[in-house]
Structure formats: C-alpha cells, structure tokens
Amino acid sequence: MTQDLRAAIGLLRCTNAELSGELERLAGGNPFVQIVPSPVQQIASIWQDTRTVPAVARPPVLPPPPRGLGQISVEQAGAGAPGLHDHVCRQIGMMFRDEDQRRLALCFAEALEPTGWLGLPISSIAGACDVPLQSAEAVLARLQQVEPAGLFARSLAECLSLQAVDQGLMTPAFAIVLQNLPMLAKGDLAGLATLCALSEADVRDILLAIRRLNPKPGASFDPAPPRAVEPDMILRRCPSGWVIELNRSTLPGLVVQDPAGPEASAESRRAAEWLHSAVDRRNATTLKVGQEVVRLQLAYLEGGPVDLVPMSFGSVAASVGVHETTISRVTAGLLVSAPGRGFLLRELFSNALPRTGGVGGISAAAVRHQIAALIAAERPEAPLSDAAIAAHFQAQGVTLARRTVVKYREMLKLPAAARRRALVRQAPGT
C-alpha cells in the first residue's frame, strides 16, 4: 500500500470537521495548495480573533473601556467546574500518548451518558472506529481507571465494583454480592449469606458499604452546556421524495493555485493535484453511500425505527461499486441531520434475523425497538417474561431465541420481568 493510498483511505473515514485538520496536515508547506475554510470555520475564526485583539489605548481622562464579550465568556467559563466530558477528555490527553489509542479513547468519551456509564456496547464503538474488539477492550480497561472511580462502567455491578476496588473494599464476599444484585434487591440476605459463607449480619455490613457507593459518578459534575455539533450530511424531504446532500457549510474546500518562486516544484504540483482529486473522491463516495442508504431505508424514514430493514456493509458496497471496508470507513462517524432529529449513518445498518420458512428477514435493530415497545405497553402488574417476548416473535414468524431477547433487553438497559414487577410494587400508591 503506497503512502498516497493510505492517505486517501484516511480521508474516507473523516467527518467534515476532521477533514479540515487532515487537509492542513497533508498540505504541509505545499505552495500550490490553498485550503478554503467552510463558513462555519470562518465564523469560528472570527470569534477567536475577537478574543485575542489587544485593547486600544485611550486618553487617561476617559473611563476604561468595558470588557469585550469574549473576555467575559472566557472568565465565566473558567470560573465554574468543568463538565463531565471536558473532565474526561483532559485525563485522556494525559493518559494516552499513542494517537490511535487517544482517538479511540475520545470515541468512548463521546459515548458517555450523564450518569458516567458507557451508553453504547463496546462492539459498536470498536466497529465505528474500525478497530479490533480486543484493542477497544484494552483502551476501555485503561479508561476505567479515570477519576472518579466508576466512570465508563457498562452496568451497575461494574460501576460499583470499580469503586469498591478503588476504595479497598473488594473481597471475595463483596464480589459475590455484586454478582447477585437481583438477590440484594429482593432482600434475600439469607440466600446471599449462604453464597458468601457469612452471617446475615456480615451481609448487612456489605449492604451498608454498597449504599455508600455512587451508582452515578458522572452526575456529580456540573452539567456542561450542550456542544453544538454540525451535521456532515443533510436529509430533507422534497415533493419528489427524500434527498440527502453533503453539508457544504461545514465542508472545507481545496484550491490548486499557481504560485511563483523556486519552491514551486513539479513534485509539489503533482501532490496538490492528487490531494484535490482525493478530496473530490471522498466527497463523491460519501454522497453515493448516503444516497444508497436512503434508498434502502425509505420505510424507516417514513415509519420510524420499527421499520428499519436489514442492511449490511456488503449490500451497500455492491450497489455503490466499492469494497465493504470502504462503507465501514465512510459511515464510521457521519452525522445526518433530518427533519426533527439527527442520527449517525452507521445506526441504520443492522443484521437480519431469519423468518420461519426462510421468507425474507427482519432487522435486528427493528426487533430491539419492538421489544422496547412491548415492554412499554405491558401491564405493570403482569410484566412480560423473556420467554413470552420470544414467543410473541415466534408467532409472527421471526426466529428469536430467549437468550437473544435477554441480550437485546440488556442492550436497551431494561430490567428483567421480576425486577420490573418489584419496581412497580415499590412505587408509592401501588
């Protein structure tokens, strides 16, 4: 693989914002290359300039000039405590020296929920960043050392376990209790005492220690103002149907100019023309992929998540005429703005679950949304068991095992039927 080919592949996985930085790096000191910032970047540059313009000297007889808006904003921002995302990113910058690992760690940071828990499965983050699952797990293990303890946990048990280890509370008995939190929720101290080979009084001591831990370590941070994220593509509905296009307002441009001087070599000219061509290919490929995804997912755009059809990288690649790894790279982080909502293009890809008799298939993502809808509509006093949900899909001709229902329910962070029933009983007035 040549250096030019590696660079072209790197451009494919860039969002519009990342493309600007990558162009700056690739252009280097090439006199033939002129990068034209997008309007959004130009506005940001103007705002930055207003914060760095020195104050103008005035006659001493006049009162001092008022502080500029930029100065006030900077001082106010520095006065308060940082938000969860800024706090985590600051620690990531100190922990990870390797650029690829740092980039992957920042993807994990983007998936943090306000509670401090990880909001996406590790497999989804690994797939979005196009890295092996083992590499993602190694980075997550380091991220779980971030202070305060408990951040980047994937479950309540893991969150509490990280804090117990940090505070020196972890013992074999403590670990057994954390592995059996449903028993603790039911108040089955006798059963836990048997499992731990302890007395019920000792189990109560462990329970008191658990209650002192923080199940939402991220909630202790002051909420940071929402970060404006400009979409990479814009989806809109026209009289003729759905249309998707690149967001030109955030897309940097590149112009090949003709400078004069000894540094204007033929090699520099060739590199500038190659870079211009690579950017055009990146934009054209991104647009083709977006158009094909929209064509295949018209039912989703009209009806919502339950109408998401199965779609793989391979099927889109065959239609567009590229390799499926190209589809993986292009869709890794592209944000699409649609009427009333926004979504990552990668979210519309989903495996197919077989139907009885081999007729067609149904999207796994659509099944997950249907499971969430079934649980939301269930009678609180008689929640649906995982076996009942599996039977519901079996009656519709969808081959779905009970263990698959359990996996999907846990991905949705929905408790089991017994826990849902217990929560209803604990609610006031029931």
Side-chain angles (χ1 to χ4, degrees):
M1 184 179 293
T2 65
Q3 183 176 358
D4 285 353
L5 183 56
R6 283 196 298 268
I9 291 174
L11 294 181
L12 286 174
R13 61 163 57 95
C14 288
T15 63
N16 291 359
E18 293 168 344
L19 183 62
S20 298
E22 194 67 11
L23 289 181
E24 292 284 354
R25 185 184 70 82
L26 292 175
N30 193 322
F32 288 93
V33 177
Q34 179 185 2
I35 297 175
V36 183
S38 68
V40 171
Q41 294 166 330
Q42 291 173 356
I43 292 173
S45 177
I46 293 172
W47 170 243
Q48 181 67 27
D49 290 343
T50 64
R51 300 196 300 179
T52 57
V53 172
V56 178
R58 295 177 180 268
V61 294
L62 296 178
R67 293 183 299 174
L69 178 61
Q71 294 171 318
I72 295 174
S73 298
V74 170
E75 292 180 9
Q76 289 176 344
L84 172 62
H85 185 269
D86 292 337
H87 168 79
V88 168
C89 289
R90 192 171 299 149
Q91 294 199 48
I92 287 175
M94 294 185 291
M95 293 172 60
F96 295 88
R97 298 302 179 189
D98 180 83
E99 183 178 351
D100 292 337
Q101 289 187 344
R102 187 188 306 118
R103 188 173 300 172
L104 178 56
L106 292 174
C107 289
F108 275 100
E110 291 293 337
L112 272 185
E113 294 182 343
T115 59
W117 289 23
L118 197 60
L120 289 175
I122 187 172
S123 58
S124 298
I125 297 174
C129 297
D130 199 18
V131 299
L133 182 61
Q134 186 177 4
S135 300
E137 290 173 343
V139 168
L140 178 59
R142 293 184 61 188
L143 286 173
Q144 290 181 341
Q145 300 173 14
V146 168
E147 296 291 336
L151 296 180
F152 293 98
R154 291 162 288 182
S155 65
L156 176 59
E158 188 173 46
C159 180
L160 300 178
S161 177
L162 291 169
Q163 295 178 57
V165 171
D166 181 68
Q167 298 180 24
L169 300 174
M170 185 60 74
T171 63
F174 205 108
I176 292 175
V177 173
L178 290 181
Q179 293 166 6
N180 295 274
L181 288 178
M183 295 178 63
L184 190 62
K186 295 177 184 177
D188 187 4
L189 299 185
L192 287 172
T194 302
L195 288 176
C196 300
L198 297 174
S199 66
E200 289 191 25
D202 292 332
V203 173
R204 287 193 184 92
D205 291 339
I206 294 177
L207 174 58
L208 291 176
I210 289 177
R211 285 178 175 172
R212 288 193 290 267
L213 301 178
N214 185 0
K216 300 178 181 179
S220 60
F221 291 82
D222 292 334
R227 291 171 287 133
V229 180
E230 292 290 338
D232 303 289
M233 307 187 79
I234 298 175
L235 180 65
R236 53 189 177 86
R237 190 168 188 173
C238 300
S240 58
W242 290 93
V243 177
I244 190 169
E245 56 192 3
L246 297 174
N247 185 6
R248 296 287 176 180
S249 67
T250 62
L251 199 61
L254 187 148
V255 177
V256 179
Q257 57 185 356
D258 290 315
E263 70 279 5
S265 65
E267 182 64 21
S268 296
R269 172 89 188 185
R270 188 204 67 81
E273 291 175 345
W274 172 89
L275 187 57
H276 185 275
S277 177
V279 172
D280 285 347
R281 286 197 302 271
R282 177 264 181 192
N283 294 341
T285 302
T286 300
L287 185 58
K288 285 181 180 179
V289 171
Q291 291 171 339
E292 180 63 13
V293 169
V294 168
R295 186 186 71 82
L296 295 174
Q297 295 292 359
L298 285 176
Y300 161 78
L301 298 176
E302 297 290 346
V306 294
D307 294 318
L308 199 66
V309 301
M311 185 175 67
S312 65
F313 293 152
S315 62
V316 175
S319 300
V320 176
V322 297
H323 195 273
E324 61 181 278
T325 57
T326 299
I327 305 299
S328 175
R329 294 185 178 98
V330 168
T331 60
L334 287 185
L335 180 64
V336 179
S337 171
R341 67 189 190 278
F343 55 87
L344 291 171
L345 196 63
R346 176 68 68 89
E347 294 176 1
L348 304 191
F349 288 82
S350 179
N351 296 329
L353 295 178
R355 290 184 182 272
T356 304
V359 179
I362 184 171
S363 163
V367 168
R368 288 195 292 271
H369 284 286
Q370 290 185 37
I371 290 174
L374 286 171
I375 292 177
E378 69 186 4
R379 290 164 48 207
E381 69 277 8
L384 295 171
S385 66
D386 296 328
I389 294 174
H392 168 84
F393 284 98
Q394 293 284 356
Q396 294 182 341
V398 179
T399 305
L400 191 67
R402 188 193 68 83
R403 63 179 180 274
T404 305
V405 174
V406 173
K407 180 178 73 171
Y408 288 171
R409 178 176 53 73
E410 291 176 347
M411 290 174 63
L412 295 166
K413 299 189 183 303
L414 295 173
R419 178 58 179 157
R420 299 200 302 275
R421 184 184 296 109
L423 290 173
V424 170
R425 291 174 177 171
Q426 294 171 6
T430 61

